[in-house]
Amino acid sequence: MKKNYLRFVGSCFCGAAFLLLTGCGTVVRSDKHPALIPQPVTMSIGEQNFKIQPSTPVVLVGSGFDAGEITCVTEALDAIFEPVFGRKFEVRHAETRADRSINIVCDSQLGREAYRLKVGASGVDIEAGGAAGAFYAVQSLRQLLPLALWNEKQVAGVELREMNIEDAPVLSYRGVMLDVARHFFTVEEVKDMLDILALHKMNTFHWHLTDDQGWRIEIKQYPRLTEFGSMRKRTLIGPDPGGHYDENTRYDENPYGGSYTQEQIRDVVEYARKRFITVIPEIEFPGHAVGALASYPWLGCTGEQYDVRQTWDIDDRVYCIGKESTFEFIEKVLGEVVELFPSEYIHIGGDECPMKMWEKCPACKARLKQIGETNFRRLQSYGNARLERFLNTHGRKMIGWDEILEGGVTPTAAVMSWRGSAGGVKAAQMGNYAVMSPSDHCYFDHYQSEDREHEPLAWGGFLPVSKVYAFNPYEGLNERERHFIMGVQANVWSEYIADYRQVQYMLLPRLSAMSEVGWSLDRKNYESYLERMPRMFALYDAMGYNYARHLLKDLQ
Ligand code: ACM
Ligand code: ZN
């Protein structure tokens, strides 16, 4: 087996090294063994080639695509080829396909994310159900380009091997969450991550924007959230002792913070839109709220002035559910959030909310009595239901971590299952939509090796690529219940991820495995995946990504 892999990698690089010098410049020859991740439905390779040149036109055939969306597809083609051709493609509109062109054709028989990619001696044909499908065809093209191209600054042509691909995703929600609260990542870094998501045909970016350790999104009506709540005075060094902080606890004494202006948020949402990625913002409620409570002490049960949290772990200090002013605040915040994010779903957090403060608070006790309940957990479902009503009146749906099921959930809320798959299974059985993101298969803040001494500090756990790949989001569900599983999501929590290069390291190559869970669930095959991965590693190298090498070493 090992020998096969090595031969495969060798042939990738041989192909990659093969450049043809012609009278008018370099032509990059096609690779012998192109491979795709995630796995398409079918893919066959032929013997002929087609040379894409700077003069090759892009022909939009017919008028089936949304005009604004299809522009994103031609821009994606330019993003690949302009750096080596020195010019953008000429885009033409026509009723029929043209020879020696890149034709993009709408086929309404296909799903909106489905596509066919055909390369033959006479040109490239992309047929897609919607512009999203055409975009994914371009992403496939991007992966299939000769690897040697990535070393070139200017070429006269790029040879593509004859091929025929049919492709469509199995799951409609293919997400990645980034926690920017524990550590902050710049707009440029977030955009880089969106490019990585697009390469893997992921279509949802869940942006964890608020938490105990920092509030990161500008809210015009509450400026202290970012002026004060985005900055912590110092940060824990090393592993969190689980609440037991004493004289041995060490801190980096430098203030740490960061936030996004609304203009920057809009910029990221637009960047994502052009990559057919929906951005779902998360505004944590009613727990993980110290960033907000430190900014406006009246949001808490006691009104005390808190510091933005400097350690990890769970905090008892949560929003007061008894006071109306809390709801006025959170609704105004969500009012600004829905203006910034066009996503169908808005994430309200809901995880890990201790009830200690509520149990001692006169206003919370009065609220519990008012709603005719005795269990304080019902305060959380009461709060969630109010937030959901607010979101619904603004044309949006609510999603929350699986704790939102505990105090009772409305039939319309969606559940993100993280404490195993049980929450998602329960939701699906009740007829609520769910995203499967169980920590044992989807938490990319877990270690990638059991040899922890030689790994960067991580949250804990052990999540190798093989375990991500083995994830079955449908386990325990019958056909009817499966309908309610929207998809899967990988989560990058950042307590121990202080810089963006490490985000890449935690993402890659595990994201390639998650992309096959989401896109290729019905055709997943680990042996085939391992055969295709060496080329993906070579692509990561060519693109300058920082990735974990455990799997690559196993394959050598
Ligand atoms: C979570 O990991 N607390 C959702
Ligand atoms: Zn209270």
Side-chain angles (χ1 to χ4, degrees), residues 313-357:
D313 209 15
I314 299 171
D315 205 299
D316 290 335
R317 299 166 297 178
V318 304
Y319 286 102
C320 177
I321 299 293
K323 296 186 223 159
E324 273 308 294
S325 49
T326 300
F327 290 96
E328 194 181 312
F329 167 85
I330 197 74
E331 288 184 1
K332 280 188 177 159
V333 168
L334 290 177
E336 293 193 29
V337 166
V338 296
E339 289 297 316
L340 293 168
F341 295 92
S343 56
E344 179 183 8
Y345 283 96
I346 303 289
H347 203 302
I348 57 90
D351 57 321
E352 299 175 321
C353 180
M355 299 181 291
K356 258 190 185 162
M357 303 301 283

Side-chain angles (χ1 to χ4, degrees), residues 191-221:
K191 287 181 176 175
D192 185 88
M193 183 161 156
L194 291 169
D195 284 333
I196 294 176
L197 265 56
L199 180 68
H200 293 84
K201 302 191 174 82
M202 305 301 279
N203 66 2
T204 307
F205 175 58
H206 168 177
W207 208 356
H208 184 82
L209 284 162
T210 72
D211 215 304
D212 299 320
Q213 295 80 3
W215 182 286
R216 306 282 175 229
I217 172 174
E218 178 191 23
I219 300 295
K220 302 264 189 211
Q221 293 164 92

Side-chain angles (χ1 to χ4, degrees), residues 335-451:
E336 293 193 29
V337 166
V338 296
E339 289 297 316
L340 293 168
F341 295 92
S343 56
E344 179 183 8
Y345 283 96
I346 303 289
H347 203 302
I348 57 90
D351 57 321
E352 299 175 321
C353 180
M355 299 181 291
K356 258 190 185 162
M357 303 301 283
W358 296 345
E359 285 161 3
K360 289 184 279 187
C361 168
C364 285
K365 287 189 216 167
R367 177 75 78 194
L368 196 62
K369 198 164 166 201
Q370 179 208 343
I371 62 174
E373 298 286 351
T374 50
N375 179 349
F376 278 89
R377 188 54 72 205
R378 300 289 291 180
L379 288 183
Q380 180 160 357
S381 37
Y382 165 82
N384 287 347
R386 282 187 68 164
L387 265 50
E388 189 180 11
R389 266 200 305 280
F390 178 85
L391 291 173
N392 290 165
T393 59
H394 287 74
R396 306 309 175 86
K397 295 179 182 159
M398 185 181 91
I399 187 165
W401 298 110
D402 58 50
E403 285 93 332
I404 66 170
L405 286 164
E406 281 173 17
V409 72
T410 63
T412 44
V415 172
M416 192 167 271
S417 193
W418 74 278
R419 296 175 302 172
S421 294
V425 168
K426 185 173 169 196
Q429 286 168 346
M430 288 164 35
N432 287 69
Y433 283 97
V435 172
M436 288 298 201
S437 190
S439 58
D440 51 356
H441 285 92
C442 302
Y443 270 39
F444 284 14
D445 56 337
H446 289 189
Y447 282 99
Q448 305 191 62
S449 162
E450 286 176 300
D451 178 14

